[in-house]
Amino acid sequence: MPSPFARVFGYGGPPFIWDEEERRHLRARLDALYFHLYGLDRADAAYVLDTFPIVRREDESQFDGCYHTKDRILAQINTLAIAA
């Protein structure tokens, strides 16, 4: 049974199952779009992402030394550039 909030927006299905990997993917897509909308290119985005040491540190501890958030966002920026 959907929540009253979901019904207001026309959704009648069951609650969505939390998927952390899908959430990371969607956030990277949104972040890439925000960089694009603000007129920042890939190099600018890389610089901005390097100013988040806590995110970097947490990613590197969770993903075997990789700054996963930055890699995903930059990959999405590449995808946007190809589509343009």
Side-chain angles (χ1 to χ4, degrees), residues 6-66:
R7 283 194 302 270
V8 166
F9 291 98
Y11 182 74
F16 292 104
I17 296 173
W18 186 267
D19 183 341
E20 189 64 35
E21 187 62 26
E22 177 67 9
R23 184 175 183 270
R24 283 189 197 101
H25 173 76
L26 293 172
R27 286 187 63 181
R29 288 180 68 186
L30 286 171
D31 288 340
L33 286 169
Y34 292 135
F35 281 119
H36 174 75
L37 290 171
Y38 278 102
L40 300 175
D41 64 16
R42 189 179 196 284
D44 296 329
Y47 174 80
V48 170
L49 291 163
D50 284 337
T51 67
F52 292 94
I54 295 171
V55 175
R56 180 182 200 138
R57 185 172 54 245
E58 288 179 2
D59 273 12
E60 288 174 346
S61 69
Q62 185 176 359
F63 299 109
D64 298 322
C66 294

